[in-house]
Amino acid sequence: MADGSNVTMTGASRTGFPPRSARPRRRWGEPWLAAVAGAFTLAQLILVRPDLGLGWDETVYVSQVSGQVPAAFFSAPRARGISLLVAPIASWSDSTGLLRVYLAVLSGLGLYFALRVWRAHVMPRVLALAGALFTSLWVTLFYGPQAMPNYWVAVGALVAVGCFVRVRENARDRAAWWGVFAGTALMAWMRPMDAVYVVLPLLALAVRRPRLLAVLVAGLLAGAGEWVIEAYVSYGGLGQRLSDASRIQGGLGWHLAVVDQLRSLGGRTLCRPCTGSAPNPVVTLWCFALPVLAALGAVTAVRARRALPVLLPLACAVTAAVPYLFLIGYAAPRFLLPAYALLALPVAHGLAHLVGAPSRRTARIVAVSLVAACLAAHMAVQYVVLEHTVRSSAANRDGWSRTASALHTLGVRPPCLLSGYEAVPIAFYTGCGSAQTDGHDTSTTAAALTRAAHRTSLAVLTRPGDRPPAYARTWSMERAGALHAYVAPFVRQGR
């Protein structure tokens, strides 16, 4: 029996699906998938660079398991999955470079195994193309080596949906049953609400299959269990935590954020508020091509009578994207990573159809050349945006590091406490704890900080021109990098 990776039947090559009769076990070393995963890992290390400092959200997640800095306030929407994922490194080392390398390698491995789930339903080269399309996006490359949960929701989505398709075809595939559970749990472990949106189409299809429905629900509960328990222990109950999470995200409800997401594609890691002009149309053109190519892939799958492996990831991509396009009033490109990962499959089928459909050799050469040229231009644009994003992010993080060094010079050293403007990330770089009296990270009161000023090394940060809070107006004001630091009398006495 021919191996699926070497099948040359016309129907298979034209549609991107292996023949139904070809279901052998593939070798572990799928060369196409391994090449994509390896290139993805290498590209992260070269283009994003291991020396890129930790971002704001990363400092929150890493601080939860770090042995070097106090844990930052953990707001209601966050889940601890990514903190536990980085714990093998962050719990004993403060090396950002080591953490970046660890995450880059892990993200490459995660991609490889997530793609392998689909081998029985997608031809290896089409599957590799889907992986390459997803990993060539600047947002995937940028967040792959970061201590952020969104990429891992995307990996879990690929695993869960792929294994669901396998179970639907062969209920005796024990590995696929475990894959449905593991992929769903991984998503819920990282971002519980994202997991729910991704699996909505799966739950709908599993209604008449109680065992499959039970596995999906068990995966959600296993992944989100800690988040739910923590809601009752620390947030006043599940309803209160969901309410707080909605408030922090601007109030979940009807918000048309499609244009905001387009604006963020120019390299804005957080678009809140999302004002200003949209990026050059060349930067966002690929986003408009996605639904067209995905629809083409869906039509091809239906005609080939192999609809489920294409229509299901397409449906899950839509439900994954809905909350971030229509239910919140701001944008961040990382939010759509799960949708991009799932859309890559139908888009790859659509491109495979464009290349394989022409019957004449000359027409096929022209089609291949045009598709290759468009993909090359797409990758060039993604590289330019990635380089800009890395440079601007590095500048922000270098600024936090300079402020931390200035605070050390002023005598604000561990054990210490920071409050005020950008106190959360700067506290991490300084080795301090952070506490805020208002905003999304409210964790204390002005009275509590006033009392703390008499017994700990405390500073309040403001932008030049801004007034400090009332309790700090009599404190000594010093320059700390680009910011002003109002230093508590206790610090001055300690110096």
Side-chain angles (χ1 to χ4, degrees):
M1 185 180 292
D3 185 270
S5 61
N6 297 317
V7 171
T8 57
M9 295 175 62
T10 303
S13 62
R14 295 276 180 93
T15 65
F17 300 105
R20 291 183 183 275
S21 60
R23 289 289 185 271
R25 288 192 176 275
R26 269 83 164 177
R27 299 163 294 176
W28 270 103
E30 288 282 7
W32 290 98
L33 304 186
V36 169
F40 175 50
T41 299
L42 189 62
Q44 293 175 67
L45 297 175
I46 294 174
L47 300 179
V48 182
R49 302 192 308 272
D51 62 349
L52 179 66
L54 296 183
W56 186 313
D57 291 289
E58 286 186 290
T59 64
V60 175
Y61 289 121
V62 172
S63 71
Q64 306 304 309
V65 293
S66 173
Q68 287 74 41
V69 297
F73 175 73
F74 207 72
S75 61
R78 301 186 188 275
R80 297 187 183 273
I82 194 64
S83 297
L84 297 177
L85 188 71
V86 302
I89 301 297
S91 60
W92 60 272
S93 173
D94 61 356
S95 171
T96 301
L98 182 60
L99 182 62
R100 294 275 186 240
V101 172
Y102 164 75
L103 288 171
V105 173
L106 205 60
S107 63
L109 289 172
L111 177 72
Y112 174 73
F113 286 108
L115 292 176
R116 286 190 77 252
V117 165
W118 292 87
R119 293 170 305 151
H121 300 283
V122 183
M123 291 291 288
R125 295 187 183 186
V126 176
L127 189 54
L129 175 60
L133 290 172
F134 174 56
T135 57
S136 66
L137 297 177
W138 74 262
V139 63
T140 310
L141 283 165
F142 185 71
Y143 285 104
Q146 295 211 33
M148 296 290 284
N150 311 86
Y151 172 80
W152 294 102
V153 177
V155 169
L158 284 173
V159 172
V161 178
C163 287
F164 186 94
V165 172
R166 285 171 51 177
V167 167
R168 291 269 300 187
E169 183 170 295
N170 179 12
R172 291 175 294 180
D173 188 344
R174 294 182 62 186
W177 284 99
W178 282 107
V180 172
F181 174 83
T184 305
L186 176 61
M187 289 190 289
W189 192 39
M190 294 292 170
R191 289 181 69 88
M193 295 310 299
D194 283 17
V196 172
Y197 280 105
V198 170
V199 303
L200 283 177
L202 307 186
L203 292 171
L205 289 178
V207 167
R208 296 184 179 181
R209 303 185 67 169
R211 183 184 173 192
L212 190 51
L213 182 63
V215 170
L216 284 168
V217 173
L220 289 173
L221 292 177
E226 186 278 334
W227 195 85
V228 173
I229 293 171
E230 188 180 41
Y232 288 98
V233 172
S234 304
Y235 295 89
L238 181 59
Q240 186 61 49
R241 185 169 196 177
L242 290 171
S243 175
D244 290 345
S246 174
R247 175 181 52 79
I248 288 171
Q249 293 176 312
L252 296 181
W254 177 252
H255 297 282
L256 187 60
V258 176
V259 175
D260 292 344
Q261 285 290 348
L262 289 174
R263 287 194 181 105
S264 73
L265 291 178
R268 301 172 68 174
T269 56
L270 180 63
C271 203
R272 187 179 190 180
C274 206
T275 56
S277 59
N280 190 302
V282 174
V283 173
T284 58
L285 183 61
W286 66 271
C287 200
F288 293 99
L290 279 182
V292 177
L293 292 171
L296 177 60
V299 171
T300 302
V302 171
R303 289 179 176 175
R305 297 183 180 179
R306 301 290 297 281
L308 192 64
V310 172
L311 294 186
L312 190 56
L314 179 57
C316 291
V318 171
T319 57
V322 162
Y324 296 115
L325 295 178
F326 304 108
L327 299 181
I328 65 173
Y330 66 100
R334 66 179 182 271
F335 292 160
L336 295 180
L337 276 172
Y340 294 149
L342 293 166
L343 277 176
L345 291 161
V347 168
H349 280 290
L351 289 173
H353 177 75
L354 288 177
V355 170
S359 56
R360 294 185 179 182
R361 185 170 182 270
T362 303
R364 184 170 296 183
I365 292 174
V366 171
V368 170
S369 300
L370 287 175
V371 169
C374 290
L375 290 177
H378 164 73
M379 293 181 69
V381 170
Q382 295 301 308
Y383 167 76
V384 171
V385 178
L386 176 64
E387 194 275 335
H388 164 74
T389 306
V390 170
R391 187 173 64 249
S392 60
S393 298
N396 287 337
R397 298 167 196 197
D398 288 346
W400 295 337
S401 182
R402 287 192 295 271
T403 299
S405 297
L407 288 170
H408 288 159
T409 302
L410 295 174
V412 182
R413 303 186 185 93
C416 48
L417 187 64
L418 297 184
S419 187
Y421 182 72
E422 294 190 335
V424 173
I426 294 173
F428 182 91
Y429 280 76
T430 313
C432 300
S434 59
Q436 300 285 46
T437 58
D438 54 20
H440 299 152
D441 294 315
T442 300
S443 58
T444 190
T445 63
L449 286 181
T450 302
R451 291 192 297 269
H454 297 289
R455 62 179 184 272
T456 190
S457 182
L458 172 63
V460 176
L461 302 174
T462 68
R463 290 175 295 185
D466 290 351
R467 297 187 67 186
Y471 63 85
R473 287 175 187 167
T474 60
W475 297 357
S476 172
M477 190 275 285
E478 306 282 355
R479 295 283 301 188
L483 302 179
H484 288 169
Y486 289 82
V487 182
F490 180 87
V491 178
R492 310 301 299 180
Q493 294 168 7
R495 292 179 64 192

